[in-house]
Amino acid sequence: MEHLQTLTIAYECESSLGNSLNIKEMTREFLRIFLKKTSAIYATINELDSQNSFPLNSLGKDEFYKLTINAKPNNIDRFCTVNLLYNDTSYRCLYVVLDNYYLAFVYSQKNQIDIEVIANIFYSLKNKIELGIKACKEHERLELALLGSNNGLWDWDLRDNSVYYSPRWKEILGYSEHELKNELATWKNRLHPDDLNIVMEDIQKNIDGKQEYYKGSFRLKHKNGNWVWILAHGKTIYDENKQAVRMTGVDTDITKQKEAEENLKAQYNLIHTIVDTVPVRIFWKDKDGAYLGVNKLFLKDAKLNSVDEIIGKTDYAMPWGGTEAQLYRDDDLKVMKSGVAKINFEETQTDENENQIVLLTSKVPLKGATESIIGVLGTYTDITHQRNTEETLREQTKTLDYQANHDALTSLPNRVLFYDRLEQAIQKAKRENSKFALLFIDLDHFKEINDSLGHDVGDEVLITAASRLSSSIRDEDTLARLGGDEFIIILEELSEIEDAALVSSKILDNLSQTIHIGEAALYISTSIGISIYPDDGTSTQDLRKFADAAMYKAKDEGRNNFQYYSSACPRT
């Protein structure tokens, strides 16, 4: 290190030495006087201050001149530091650093000054002074390095609570170098009230040696009234007695980073709110099938209370683990390997009651920052109720359709369905150039049964008649009830016209059998009229009309018989 020129000054005080801060201010004021008298370049110290001040070790004239012109009176704080080195009941020793020179000031109570004692104090502290100057130079080099990193430097003297703040530190808060005092209150009074306690606790832990380094973030008030977010790093320095003497560190303005973090947090919270409020289950898994996240509806299905309970688990650990887990895993792998989304497909799941529920599911490949597939993202909706409702509606529709086309008493096709079937039979016969017969059936004297025995008995007779008629024809033939005691049969694909007569005879025989209702034994007969397509007609109206005319001819012939239609049949 460059050789240091020295000047030691002893000064007797009229009053008490006071505290260390007063001594420092006294020294600063002395320097101001000292530097203002630059016209007396090498004047004696007595000329600078006439009260009991004298040199113990003097600078040469040229060196003294260099000292005075390099340290300007108005910039005393910038060009020098005042440091308390020695303190007891009789003496206080301070030193001042000016460029590569240092001045040692020894203060004593009046009439107690002893040159030999002062000299011993000075030389015993010389090493400490040189170490202090070396630290100051390192301090300056560190500050220059920090200028490039945009950090602010601070150096807290724990012995007297004075703090050095670098120009950049003050600039972070919007102040110029001379607008803020180098004292602890400069920082503490600007600290956000909500941060004060925790910051001071963390700093004290470092001072007490409980933590090797201090690191913390807090808010300081800017000159414009805004809050500046600071990230601080610091370390406590101890003397040879392991007493904390200094704490040095750097502050970084992280306001923009904090604002970006807050914006990201707000966006995350918004997305999280959306994910949790949409009426679908949402989940995302990694390549191994482990859950990375889900929404609240999914947690409800999984019988869990928080996301933390599901992260890292697979479908095998879910309530459906023993039933659908492997199916889901296979499906996930297909989506991830193909890279193709699978949208709106139905799958089943077994609930805790072993009931099958229906899910409408979509799965897409989950991609990372590099667009590589890192898992699968999926949604699903429980559409079991919807599917059950649709099934109910289908059944209701089917029932209504059946009721609209079938007779309520006998469950046979009614008039509406009959005419539809008859039209189909006509079209089929046209295509195939074939014949079919229409049999119009009326129960003889049925009105008397209703009038004498009541409608309930009459209904039982009709049901029995419908059953016997059904057993008399083929499955492909159509039997319908037109109303009252009238039935009609379509016999398709006749090989011979006489086949209609065979079926009619069978019907007459079956219906002539005794009908037992309760204790009553009833007997009925039947009149049947037959029309042939296309011999007797080619329209539904003509075929039905001519079969009806033939039936009346059967009644005229004494009932309980069948008749083919002919032009001689009575018109109806």
Side-chain angles (χ1 to χ4, degrees):
M1 184 174 66
E2 181 182 347
H3 176 68
L4 299 171
Q5 300 293 330
T6 66
L7 173 65
T8 305
I9 299 172
Y11 187 83
E12 287 187 347
C13 300
E14 292 284 349
S15 58
S16 169
L17 291 178
N19 59 41
S20 60
L21 290 178
N22 290 336
I23 292 294
K24 284 190 175 185
E25 288 303 315
M26 186 185 304
T27 302
R28 292 178 188 275
E29 182 59 28
F30 187 93
L31 280 170
R32 290 189 181 94
I33 297 171
F34 182 81
L35 293 171
K36 283 179 181 178
K37 296 180 179 291
T38 55
S39 60
I41 298 299
Y42 191 50
T44 63
I45 298 301
N46 287 332
E47 237 180 76
L48 301 178
D49 191 312
S50 60
Q51 294 187 6
N52 302 315
S53 297
F54 59 94
L56 294 179
N57 207 3
S58 297
L59 295 170
K61 182 176 181 180
D62 293 339
E63 286 80 7
F64 183 70
Y65 177 75
K66 180 180 179 183
L67 169 64
T68 58
I69 62 174
N70 282 340
K72 304 301 181 184
N74 294 333
N75 294 321
I76 195 74
D77 290 334
R78 179 170 181 174
F79 287 95
C80 73
T81 58
V82 180
N83 303 273
L84 180 67
L85 288 180
Y86 186 83
N87 184 20
D88 65 12
T89 57
S90 300
Y91 295 96
R92 286 193 178 167
C93 180
L94 298 93
Y95 76 88
V96 177
V97 179
L98 288 169
D99 292 338
N100 289 327
Y101 304 90
Y102 67 85
L103 289 77
F105 289 82
V106 180
Y107 295 90
S108 171
Q109 297 286 357
K110 189 173 180 65
N111 298 324
Q112 292 185 9
I113 194 163
D114 186 314
I115 294 175
E116 185 176 351
V117 170
I118 293 173
N120 288 336
I121 290 173
F122 171 73
Y123 287 112
S124 67
L125 295 176
K126 184 175 181 181
N127 289 336
K128 292 184 180 179
I129 294 172
E130 290 178 346
L131 289 173
I133 295 171
K134 181 179 180 181
C136 288
K137 288 187 172 294
E138 291 175 350
H139 185 287
E140 291 172 359
R141 286 194 293 269
L142 176 60
E143 187 169 336
L144 287 172
L146 290 173
L147 283 174
S149 63
N150 213 29
N151 294 328
L153 176 69
W154 49 269
D155 191 348
W156 179 16
D157 190 329
L158 299 172
R159 295 164 297 186
D160 59 15
N161 255 0
S162 63
V163 185
Y164 167 77
Y165 302 104
S166 71
R168 172 55 188 156
W169 190 94
K170 298 174 183 178
E171 183 185 339
I172 289 174
L173 299 182
Y175 294 93
S176 62
E177 184 177 351
H178 301 291
E179 286 186 273
L180 295 178
K181 294 182 179 181
N182 286 332
E183 57 188 23
L184 184 62
T186 295
W187 169 80
K188 200 170 183 179
N189 291 342
R190 287 168 174 78
L191 188 61
H192 196 289
D194 294 343
D195 300 334
L196 177 61
N197 290 336
I198 188 169
V199 170
M200 296 307 297
E201 287 176 8
D202 289 343
I203 289 175
Q204 193 61 48
K205 287 178 183 178
N206 184 250
I207 294 174
D208 294 341
K210 296 178 181 179
Q211 296 176 345
E212 185 177 0
Y213 297 97
Y214 164 70
K215 180 180 179 181
S217 59
F218 48 83
R219 287 159 288 182
L220 293 177
K221 180 167 283 190
H222 193 275
K223 187 177 182 179
N224 62 16
N226 294 332
W227 292 102
V228 178
W229 273 100
I230 299 295
L231 176 63
H233 294 83
K235 182 174 176 59
T236 300
I237 299 172
Y238 304 88
D239 63 13
E240 64 275 9
N241 298 318
K242 297 184 179 180
Q243 294 296 314
V245 293
R246 290 171 59 205
M247 188 175 184
T248 304
V250 293
D251 286 355
T252 306
D253 182 354
I254 59 169
T255 305
K256 290 183 178 180
Q257 177 183 333
K258 276 288 185 179
E259 290 174 350
E261 289 175 358
E262 288 299 318
N263 289 335
L264 286 174
K265 185 178 179 181
Q267 292 176 16
Y268 172 81
N269 289 337
L270 176 61
I271 293 172
H272 186 72
T273 300
I274 294 172
V275 168
D276 273 342
T277 52
V278 293
V280 297
R281 282 75 168 170
I282 301 176
F283 61 90
W284 51 103
K285 310 175 190 175
D286 63 18
K287 281 189 171 183
D288 296 324
Y291 282 97
L292 299 173
V294 299
N295 68 347
K296 287 183 178 179
L297 281 179
F298 191 100
L299 285 175
K300 185 178 179 181
D301 288 353
K303 311 301 179 188
L304 298 174
N305 298 315
S306 71
V307 175
D308 293 337
E309 295 180 72
I310 197 171
I311 291 177
K313 294 181 180 179
T314 67
D315 283 307
Y316 296 100
M318 297 297 106
W320 50 87
T323 50
E324 289 83 19
Q326 188 59 49
L327 177 65
Y328 295 165
R329 178 58 179 160
D330 293 341
D331 203 47
D332 292 345
L333 288 172
K334 288 179 182 177
V335 172
M336 288 187 288
K337 288 180 179 179
S338 67
V340 178
K342 192 176 180 182
I343 306 297
N344 290 340
F345 64 95
E346 291 188 15
E347 58 185 358
T348 59
Q349 189 177 102
T350 305
D351 64 13
E352 66 273 17
N353 298 318
E354 298 188 355
N355 296 321
Q356 290 286 313
I357 60 176
V358 183
L359 308 178
L360 184 64
T361 305
S362 293
K363 293 180 180 179
V364 299
L366 181 62
K367 296 184 178 181
T370 61
E371 292 297 311
S372 60
I373 295 175
I374 60 173
V376 64
L377 168 66
T379 67
Y380 71 86
T381 305
D382 184 349
I383 60 170
T384 307
H385 178 72
Q386 177 183 337
R387 288 292 177 262
N388 289 340
T389 301
E390 290 173 355
E391 182 61 28
T392 300
L393 288 173
R394 278 194 294 270
E395 289 298 323
Q396 291 176 348
T397 301
K398 185 177 179 181
T399 299
L400 291 173
D401 182 68
Y402 184 86
Q403 291 174 349
N405 291 283
H406 290 79
D407 175 55
L409 179 64
T410 63
S411 297
L412 294 176
N414 61 11
R415 184 185 298 272
V416 175
L417 184 54
F418 161 72
Y419 278 111
D420 180 69
R421 296 275 181 86
L422 181 57
E423 183 61 39
Q424 292 181 33
I426 292 172
Q427 297 304 320
K428 181 181 178 182
K430 282 182 180 180
R431 290 193 304 271
E432 298 178 357
N433 194 27
S434 60
K435 297 178 183 292
F436 67 85
L438 195 63
L439 279 61
F440 196 104
I441 303 165
D442 184 83
L443 302 183
D444 297 330
H445 304 296
F446 177 75
K447 185 175 182 305
E448 284 82 350
I449 294 176
N450 264 343
D451 292 343
S452 60
L453 300 177
H455 289 281
D456 290 342
V457 173
D459 288 345
E460 289 298 326
V461 170
L462 290 173
I463 292 172
T464 301
S467 176
R468 292 181 179 181
L469 287 169
S470 294
S471 65
S472 302
I473 60 176
R474 301 168 300 181
D475 291 340
E476 59 267 29
D477 297 327
T478 298
L479 168 64
R481 181 187 176 206
L482 298 182
D485 59 349
E486 295 179 340
F487 297 88
I488 197 164
I489 295 173
I490 303 173
L491 295 176
E492 296 191 64
E493 298 181 357
L494 289 180
S495 299
E496 301 291 341
I497 293 177
E498 288 76 13
D499 291 342
L502 295 175
V503 174
S504 297
S505 297
K506 185 177 180 181
I507 291 171
L508 293 172
D509 184 58
N510 286 339
L511 290 180
S512 66
Q513 304 298 316
T514 305
I515 299 175
H516 296 279
I517 300 176
E519 296 180 355
L522 304 177
Y523 299 92
I524 61 172
S525 62
T526 305
S527 298
I528 303 173
I530 305 170
S531 62
I532 303 296
Y533 174 89
D535 300 359
D536 299 326
T538 58
S539 67
T540 56
Q541 293 83 358
D542 287 344
L543 291 170
R544 192 255 186 210
K545 178 176 64 175
F546 294 153
D548 185 49
M551 182 272 295
Y552 277 104
K553 181 181 179 185
K555 285 186 177 293
D556 290 344
E557 295 293 331
R559 293 181 170 81
N560 198 32
N561 69 90
F562 63 86
Q563 295 291 327
Y564 283 94
Y565 171 75
S566 68
S567 57
C569 290
R571 299 293 177 177
T572 59

